[in-house]
Amino acid sequence: MVKEYTLSTLIDDTSVQEVYQAIWEDSSVWAGYHHSCDHPDAVVSPWQNGERRVTFSTPLKAPAFIKKIVGVEVLEIIETQLLQHHPDGSLVVESKPVLAAPGASKFLTHALFSMSNEVNGKKSCKLEVQITCTCSVWGMQTTVESMMISQAEESASKFLAWAKKKFHEVKQAAAVAKPVPSIVVMGQDEFHDALESAAEAASTASSSSDRQAESEEEEEMQTGTGQLAIRPADMTFEQAIRHYMDEIACTARDTNSQLQTLDNR
């Protein structure tokens, strides 16, 4: 009888695409997972048309009679992974391992790694592992399949823990590589002080511009003798104009008075 085991976990604040990119897309990341499982010789090919190959070796963890049937102490495994896209936006990676041993075909394992978007108050991704184990050794099916599914439970639990940790590591590394500009929060007094400083700076710039313009206009003004007219430092430009006009009027009155005196003589 076929044995089946399913285990899942939720990864918060993310999506199917982000989980796929962090865990599955880069073949070196998947190789790292196998290295963490004591498979130092693991090799993972790049994806090509939704398919890639994984090869690794692992000691056969089984009773002596199983090792005798299989015929080896160390299993050489060639795994084919197939990527499936579904209309609802979910992704499934199908795992088809083949054991390179004479009697290994009597013990079959098949796995589905599925990723789907979940909304439980906030965006999250459900990562699920479904493993099926089959034994075709007559008289030993129940015992051997129970042993196989027990190992599958351990593998699924270890994979989900690794995937969740790896996802957060990748996400944190991406955040460090592209820092978000910090936001400064001001109190009420700081806010008003900032406004006053900005207004003062704008006023100073405007006054400086006005003084420069006035200085240029003054340089263009000349007295009747051809000398530059210099206004008192404590006068504004408008006050200086009125001052000069008053002086011209006084000069005109004095001139008229002198002319009348000459006429009377």
Side-chain angles (χ1 to χ4, degrees):
M1 185 177 67
V2 176
K3 294 285 186 179
E4 186 176 286
Y5 177 74
T6 301
L7 186 65
S8 64
T9 188
L10 282 179
I11 304 179
D12 294 330
D13 299 321
T14 188
S15 65
V16 166
Q17 191 62 31
E18 289 177 337
V19 172
Y20 169 75
Q21 290 173 344
I23 304 301
W24 298 95
E25 187 173 54
D26 188 345
S27 293
S28 66
V29 174
W30 193 249
Y33 165 66
H34 275 283
H35 296 162
S36 72
C37 297
D38 296 327
H39 305 152
D41 61 343
V43 177
V44 184
S45 70
W47 288 102
Q48 290 187 345
N49 301 319
E51 180 177 334
R52 72 180 176 187
R53 176 169 291 189
V54 183
T55 59
F56 62 95
S57 60
T58 183
L60 177 58
K61 299 177 182 179
F65 73 94
I66 297 294
K67 292 181 179 179
K68 185 175 181 180
I69 295 173
V70 174
V72 296
E73 293 284 339
V74 177
L75 292 174
E76 299 292 335
I77 300 175
I78 302 173
E79 175 192 6
T80 300
Q81 294 184 349
L82 303 173
L83 178 62
Q84 304 169 8
H85 297 262
H86 292 271
D88 62 356
S90 62
L91 295 176
V92 175
V93 176
E94 182 180 8
S95 170
K96 295 181 176 182
V98 175
L99 310 182
S105 60
K106 299 180 183 295
F107 310 92
L108 301 179
T109 301
H110 178 265
L112 295 175
F113 301 87
S114 61
M115 293 154 276
S116 58
N117 289 317
E118 297 286 325
V119 180
N120 295 318
K122 57 182 177 180
K123 182 180 71 172
S124 60
C125 176
K126 180 181 180 181
L127 181 57
E128 182 177 277
V129 183
Q130 182 181 21
I131 301 176
T132 303
C133 300
T134 306
C135 172
S136 60
V137 179
W138 186 84
M140 298 183 182
Q141 291 177 329
T142 301
T143 301
V144 173
E145 286 177 357
S146 295
M147 181 194 69
M148 292 172 68
I149 208 69
S150 177
Q151 292 183 359
E153 291 176 10
E154 181 182 351
S155 297
S157 178
K158 185 174 182 178
F159 165 73
L160 291 178
W162 171 86
K164 206 166 187 178
K165 180 181 178 182
K166 174 58 66 174
F167 172 79
H168 290 301
E169 288 176 355
V170 171
K171 190 173 182 179
Q172 185 177 11
V176 171
K178 298 179 180 179
V180 178
S182 60
I183 298 175
V184 178
V185 179
M186 293 184 179
Q188 185 175 3
D189 292 339
E190 292 175 303
F191 179 72
H192 287 300
D193 289 344
L195 283 180
E196 290 178 0
S197 297
E200 183 178 349
S203 176
T204 301
S206 177
S207 298
S208 176
S209 178
D210 290 343
R211 285 195 297 271
Q212 182 178 359
E214 291 172 5
S215 176
E216 292 174 353
E217 292 182 16
E218 286 176 14
E219 291 178 359
E220 294 177 359
M221 293 179 60
Q222 294 184 348
T223 61
T225 59
Q227 300 295 322
L228 287 176
I230 306 301
R231 64 181 172 88
D234 59 347
M235 287 187 182
T236 65
F237 182 68
E238 291 79 8
Q239 289 173 335
I241 293 295
R242 288 195 294 271
H243 174 72
Y244 299 139
M245 294 300 292
D246 290 342
E247 287 186 351
I248 291 172
C250 289
T251 301
R253 285 195 298 271
D254 291 342
T255 301
N256 288 334
S257 178
Q258 292 175 1
L259 289 173
Q260 289 178 358
T261 299
L262 291 174
D263 290 339
N264 291 333
R265 291 179 182 177

